[in-house]
Amino acid sequence: MYRMSEKPLITADKIRERVATLAREIVDVYDYDILLSALTGAYMFTADLSREIANAQGAKAPHKRIAFIKASSYGDSTESSGKLQVQGLERIPLQGKKVLMVDDIADTGTTLLGLTDMLNEAGSKEVRTCVLLNKQERREVEIKADFVGFEIANEFVVGYGLDYANEYRTLPEIWTLQEAD
């Protein structure tokens, strides 16, 4: 059994502030063709980030394509299986495109590295990565996200799209999930 922490690790206000800042950071340095989101964990982050990117670009900015893939390596566990499962990538025209790959969290790095490799193999011109959360101490492969919302410790987190066994996704804050006594 698991229980949520006493208070949020990251409040909804802090998330909103950082996503707006992150969007401006992206707009300042990267003119992508496709924003590619890894579902399901990144759905809230992607929605908020894409709106903030549009705000940062202004009304006359070019419309950017948003695409979604299903990527998973956790299943119903708090530990990554290390086996990346991806659905939907084959339907996205990536040849010669600059891609901003958005994911919820980089911990072991295997999902981010696997997706980046797949995008490059599909003919993308350039791939840059953006994650809401980074757990550097869990990294098992050599990869660093280009854009990071928050650095966090090695704790299992839920909320703001992140789940445990498909629960907790709709919480507006990010909480830690701990084993119950």
Side-chain angles (χ1 to χ4, degrees):
M1 286 303 281
Y2 293 93
R3 63 178 170 76
M4 285 179 24
S5 54
E6 297 286 323
K7 61 181 184 176
L9 177 66
I10 306 171
T11 65
D13 286 341
K14 288 216 181 296
I15 293 169
R16 259 189 307 280
E17 291 168 12
R18 181 63 185 130
V19 170
T21 302
L22 192 59
R24 288 189 299 276
E25 291 171 11
I26 292 167
V27 167
D28 285 347
V29 299
Y30 192 50
D31 186 25
Y32 62 89
D33 300 307
I34 300 172
L35 186 152
L36 182 63
S37 177
L39 296 174
T40 304
Y43 81 96
M44 275 193 192
F45 178 44
T46 299
D48 291 345
L49 182 66
S50 62
R51 280 191 295 266
E52 290 296 339
I53 287 172
N55 287 339
Q57 291 176 323
K60 297 192 187 256
H63 296 282
K64 303 290 184 173
R65 180 175 181 169
I66 298 178
F68 298 91
I69 57 171
K70 177 75 174 156
S72 177
S73 64
Y74 274 82
D76 288 343
S77 175
T78 59
E79 294 289 326
S80 174
S81 68
K83 296 177 183 165
L84 179 59
Q85 298 175 348
V86 177
Q87 299 170 351
L89 195 57
E90 69 283 350
R91 295 189 304 265
I92 303 167
L94 297 166
Q95 188 69 38
K97 303 292 185 190
K98 292 170 67 176
V99 179
L100 177 63
M101 177 67 239
V102 177
D103 203 358
D104 54 359
I105 190 166
D107 54 15
T108 64
T110 55
T111 298
L112 202 59
L113 181 61
L115 289 172
T116 301
D117 288 347
M118 288 178 187
L119 293 170
N120 286 322
E121 289 168 11
S124 297
K125 178 178 180 181
E126 183 179 5
V127 178
R128 295 211 189 162
T129 56
C130 177
V131 295
L132 175 64
L133 304 172
N134 186 49
K135 283 189 203 179
Q136 191 61 44
E137 67 185 88
R138 288 261 301 145
R139 198 72 80 242
E140 294 177 1
V141 297
E142 283 293 320
I143 190 160
K144 183 177 185 253
D146 297 294
F147 305 98
V148 175
F150 299 93
E151 297 285 342
I152 64 169
N154 186 19
E155 298 179 290
F156 192 81
V157 290
V158 296
Y160 194 67
L162 293 100
D163 77 308
Y164 169 67
N166 278 317
E167 295 183 12
Y168 306 100
R169 285 194 199 279
T170 59
L171 296 170
E173 312 88 4
I174 296 173
W175 298 76
T176 59
L177 200 63
Q178 303 155 343
E179 286 193 51
D181 299 330

